[in-house]
């Protein structure tokens, strides 16, 4: 059989307009089996690969002595479904024609031994609208961007589709992955986290897929990998962009075949695991640069979720602070009561004025620090780090000596300190940002990438600050 049938097929994916998610195309397939007594059994799947055979670990188990243990596999290839015979004894047939690999047309009949399965495609299109909720699992927010994310998660979490979560460091990608798991039918099974950038490259394959005794120096016993440990559940691959080109084909095989091979073994092991991945890199650019396999990119990108940085969702700050104070162990008494009840308006204004290069993770650390410093039931500006509150800067500069004044004629004077805290702080922080960016660029010979890396902030935000203060630099 050849590809080219006219049906308009589309893989599970999200359609975007002007960067906003609008429609979820959820691809499912259905297999219908008619038994000898005239009864029908239906099997509906939203996963990329479906195994069929007589063994209990298949997705579809057939009680038919003419069906092999692992008879055939149905899988998605871009916009089409295919069936692949797995070396069965009696063969796989499509519309009574024996095949090894064949494209499947909706309504066709797949025959395995004495069993007929009718193949159907279910294409569900769901409009994505911002959710009305202000929390989804442990994700908190009321901004349009985050409520659109809730709208996507509500639709895809119950399915088995592969998800890639993109966003800057600290935006909460692991929290989103855990939420996807908790709102799926796998919630009672393991949730396994693996950071691709935190393990030496020569150990990653063993960590993910396991190894046999004696397969390499130091392998003194057989060991299960994380995919086996996650059986029935979800594996979260953090910092996916750090995975080497040598290991990427092996991950691709897991996604396509739903099986792994331990290091030192040729025996395949079936795994039933949902994959959720995360990266702070632009994978499309990585593919163009030859650092990430194109076929793996498309296999992973069933659903891609872009998390906004905190500076683009400042209206969520108050909710996030409230959430951290209410739920974090660092703010609990031995009796489980909240030690710090809330935050003052001035302290919240300080948080709103800050640019948050470390995003939600940085905010959590700041709140934890403030709780340890606070002497009252509410967080005040003086409980916050100086670079956020501006209080230490103002105190040190309120009575500058003549030398400092001559070196910094552009700095606000005493008159400015008589204004509101918010206005005075904003001017002081602006002066600090300009000095800081200028200093780093000078130190790094005007190289923006090196300066941004030293500052540990996103290069796009670094360039935004340069534009704000009309500072020149170079990308080279």
């Amino acid at each position: 059989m050849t590809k080219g049938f006219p049906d308009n097929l589309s893989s599970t994916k999200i359609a975007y307009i002007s960067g906003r998610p609008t429609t979820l195309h959820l691809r499912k397939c259905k297999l219908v089996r008619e038994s000898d007594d005239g009864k029908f059994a239906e099997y509906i799947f939203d996963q990329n690969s479906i195994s069929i055979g007589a063994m209990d670990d298949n997705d579809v188990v057939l009680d038919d002595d003419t069906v092999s243990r692992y008879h055939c596999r149905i899988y998605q290839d871009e916009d089409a479904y295919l069936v692949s015979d797995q070396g069965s004894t009696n063969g796989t047939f499509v519309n009574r024609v024996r095949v090894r690999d064949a494209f499947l047309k909706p309504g066709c009949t797949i025959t395995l031994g004495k069993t007929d399965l009718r193949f159907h495609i279910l294409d569900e299109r769901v409009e994505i609208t911002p959710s009305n909720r202000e929390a989804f699992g442990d994700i908190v927010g009321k901004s349009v961007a985050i409520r659109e994310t809730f709208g996507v998660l509500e639709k895809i979490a119950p399915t088995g589709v592969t998800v890639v979560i993109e966003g800057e460091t600290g935006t909460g990608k692991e929290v989103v992955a855990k939420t996807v798991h908790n709102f799926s039918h796998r919630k009672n099974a393991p949730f396994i986290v693996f950071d691709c950038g935190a393990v030496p490259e020569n150990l990653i394959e063993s960590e993910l897929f396991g190894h046999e005794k004696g397969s390499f120096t130091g392998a003194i016993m057989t060991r299960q990998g994380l995919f086996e440990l996650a059986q029935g559940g979800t594996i979260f691959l953090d910092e996916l962009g750090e995975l080497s080109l040598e290991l990427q084909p092996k991950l691709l095989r897991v996604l396509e075949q739903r099986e792994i091979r331990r290091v030192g073994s040729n025996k395949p092991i079936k795994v039933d695991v949902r994959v959720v991945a995360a990266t702070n890199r632009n994978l499309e650019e990585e593919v163009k640069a030859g650092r990430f396999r194109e076929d793996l990119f498309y296999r992973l990108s069933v659903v891609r979720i872009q998390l906004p940085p905190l500076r683009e969702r400042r209206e969520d700050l108050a909710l996030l602070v409230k959430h951290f104070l209410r739920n974090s162990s660092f703010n609990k008494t031995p009796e489980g009561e909240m030690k710090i009840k809330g935050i003052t308006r001035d302290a919240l204004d300080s948080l709103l004025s800050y640019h948050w290069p470390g995003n939600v993770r940085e905010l959590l650390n700041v709140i934890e620090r403030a709780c340890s410093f606070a002497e009252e039931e509410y967080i005040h500006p003086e409980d916050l780090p100086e670079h956020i509150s501006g209080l230490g800067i103002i105190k040190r500069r309120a009575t500058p000596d003549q030398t400092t004044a001559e070196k910094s004629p552009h700095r606000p004077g005493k008159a400015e300190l008589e204004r509101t805290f918010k206005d005075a702080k904003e001017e002081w922080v602006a002066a600090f940002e300009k000095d800081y960016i200028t200093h780093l660029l000078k130190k790094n010979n005007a190289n923006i990438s090196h300066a941004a890396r030293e500052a540990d902030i996103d290069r796009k935000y670094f360039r935004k600050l340069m534009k704000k203060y009309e500072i020149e630099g170079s990308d080279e």
Side-chain angles (χ1 to χ4, degrees):
M1 297 181 67
T2 60
K3 190 172 181 179
F5 45 82
D7 304 86
N8 184 19
L9 305 178
S10 61
S11 303
T12 298
K13 60 184 179 181
I14 299 175
Y16 290 84
I17 296 178
S18 301
R20 290 291 180 84
T22 59
T23 308
L24 175 66
H25 301 263
L26 185 58
R27 169 54 54 84
K28 299 179 182 179
C29 74
K30 179 171 70 172
L31 299 173
V32 181
R33 177 190 183 189
E34 183 178 3
S35 58
D36 294 336
D37 57 5
K39 294 182 179 180
F40 290 88
E42 291 189 350
Y43 311 89
I44 297 177
F45 300 96
D46 54 27
Q47 62 208 53
N48 293 328
S49 179
I50 305 156
S51 61
I52 307 174
M55 293 294 288
D56 290 341
D57 56 349
N58 284 287
D59 297 304
V60 178
V61 179
L62 299 178
D63 184 14
D64 181 343
D65 57 11
T66 62
V67 171
S68 297
R69 293 184 301 168
Y70 300 103
H71 198 105
C72 69
R73 182 173 69 93
I74 296 174
Y75 63 97
Q76 289 190 55
D77 180 20
E78 297 184 358
D79 291 343
Y81 277 96
L82 295 90
V83 62
S84 176
D85 186 80
Q86 301 295 287
S88 65
T89 301
N90 295 314
T92 300
F93 296 76
V94 176
N95 290 342
R96 307 307 173 188
V97 177
R98 185 166 184 167
V99 300
R100 185 174 62 181
D101 296 282
F103 288 96
L104 297 176
K105 185 175 182 177
C108 69
T109 298
I110 306 169
T111 302
L112 298 76
K114 299 176 183 178
T115 301
D116 288 341
L117 298 172
R118 184 79 69 175
F119 174 78
H120 299 278
I121 288 177
L122 306 178
D123 189 5
E124 182 181 359
R125 294 171 183 262
V126 182
E127 296 298 317
I128 297 174
T129 57
S131 174
N132 292 323
R133 62 173 79 204
E134 293 187 348
F136 189 69
D138 287 329
I139 316 168
V140 175
K142 62 180 180 179
S143 62
V144 173
I146 208 67
R147 287 190 294 112
E148 284 176 343
T149 301
F150 293 164
V152 173
L153 294 177
E154 287 170 351
K155 302 298 189 302
I156 62 99
T159 74
V161 298
T162 303
V163 181
V164 172
I165 307 166
E166 300 173 308
E168 295 178 10
T169 299
T171 47
K173 296 186 285 293
E174 184 173 338
V175 176
V176 173
K178 181 67 172 176
T179 301
V180 168
H181 174 76
N182 288 339
F183 281 81
S184 74
H185 68 277
R186 300 173 181 269
K187 62 183 179 181
N188 295 321
F191 176 76
I192 303 293
V193 179
F194 179 73
D195 188 339
C196 300
V199 177
E201 187 174 315
N202 62 323
L203 295 179
I204 290 180
E205 184 176 4
S206 172
E207 286 289 321
L208 289 177
F209 309 129
H211 62 255
E212 296 293 339
K213 179 179 179 180
S215 56
F216 56 86
T217 303
I220 58 175
M221 60 186 295
T222 296
R223 182 172 179 270
Q224 287 184 314
L226 296 181
F227 271 93
E228 286 183 76
L229 295 175
Q231 188 71 263
T234 303
I235 186 166
F236 174 52
L237 303 177
D238 199 8
E239 301 299 344
L240 180 70
E242 304 298 325
L243 197 65
S244 70
L245 281 169
E246 290 73 20
L247 286 172
Q248 290 175 24
K250 297 180 180 180
L251 177 58
L252 179 63
R253 185 178 65 239
V254 175
L255 294 173
E256 290 184 335
Q257 305 289 338
R258 296 292 163 176
E259 64 183 29
I260 58 98
R261 288 184 176 88
R262 292 175 181 166
V263 177
S265 171
N266 291 321
K267 178 184 177 182
I269 299 173
K270 293 287 183 180
V271 290
D272 173 24
V273 176
R274 183 181 193 172
V275 175
V276 179
T279 179
N280 59 8
R281 296 190 181 190
N282 186 317
L283 290 185
E284 288 179 284
E285 291 183 0
E286 293 295 298
V287 169
K288 292 177 183 176
R291 292 187 292 268
F292 202 84
R293 289 178 61 107
E294 185 176 22
D295 48 3
L296 177 58
F297 170 72
Y298 286 116
R299 180 61 67 188
L300 283 165
S301 300
V302 177
V303 172
R304 295 167 65 190
I305 296 175
Q306 180 70 43
L307 295 184
L310 185 54
R311 60 183 173 276
E312 294 179 6
R313 46 179 290 222
R314 294 180 189 273
E315 58 266 56
D316 295 338
L317 266 164
L319 278 176
L320 286 165
V321 172
K322 184 178 180 180
H323 175 75
F324 294 151
L325 292 176
R326 180 180 296 169
N327 297 287
S328 300
S329 58
F330 59 73
N331 192 39
K332 294 291 178 66
T333 65
E335 295 76 29
E337 299 294 325
M338 291 172 58
K339 293 186 289 186
I340 305 299
K341 308 301 182 186
I343 185 169
T344 64
R345 182 70 248 182
D346 285 347
L348 183 59
D349 284 343
S350 294
L351 299 182
L352 289 168
S353 299
Y354 184 57
H355 58 273
W356 297 107
N359 294 293
V360 179
R361 183 185 299 148
E362 183 182 8
L363 175 63
L364 175 61
N365 292 336
V366 166
I367 297 304
E368 181 175 4
R369 176 190 185 278
C371 287
S372 66
F373 274 77
E375 297 180 353
E376 301 178 13
E377 289 189 338
Y378 287 83
I379 295 172
H380 291 270
E382 53 266 29
D383 302 321
L384 302 173
E386 290 183 0
H387 67 281
I388 295 178
S389 69
L391 292 181
I393 299 172
I394 292 176
K395 183 177 179 181
R396 288 195 298 273
R397 294 180 179 174
T399 56
D401 59 28
Q402 184 63 30
T403 301
T404 304
E406 289 174 355
K407 288 183 179 179
S408 307
H410 63 282
R411 301 283 170 76
K414 184 176 181 180
E416 281 75 11
L417 299 180
E418 301 301 326
R419 297 181 300 173
T420 65
F421 168 79
K422 182 179 179 181
D423 291 343
K425 185 186 85 73
E426 285 179 352
E427 189 156 354
W428 285 113
V429 171
F432 161 74
E433 288 180 341
K434 184 175 182 180
D435 286 351
Y436 184 71
I437 297 299
T438 302
H439 169 74
L440 279 184
L441 285 170
K442 184 177 180 181
K443 180 180 177 182
N444 288 279
N445 298 316
N447 187 300
I448 297 173
S449 298
H450 292 175
R453 191 176 301 116
E454 183 172 339
D456 195 24
I457 62 178
D458 185 72
R459 190 175 69 170
K460 290 181 179 178
Y461 185 71
F462 195 92
R463 291 184 64 86
K464 186 176 180 180
L465 289 175
M466 289 174 58
K467 184 176 180 181
K468 177 180 179 181
Y469 299 116
E470 299 180 345
I471 302 171
E472 297 295 329
S474 171
D475 283 315
E476 297 182 357

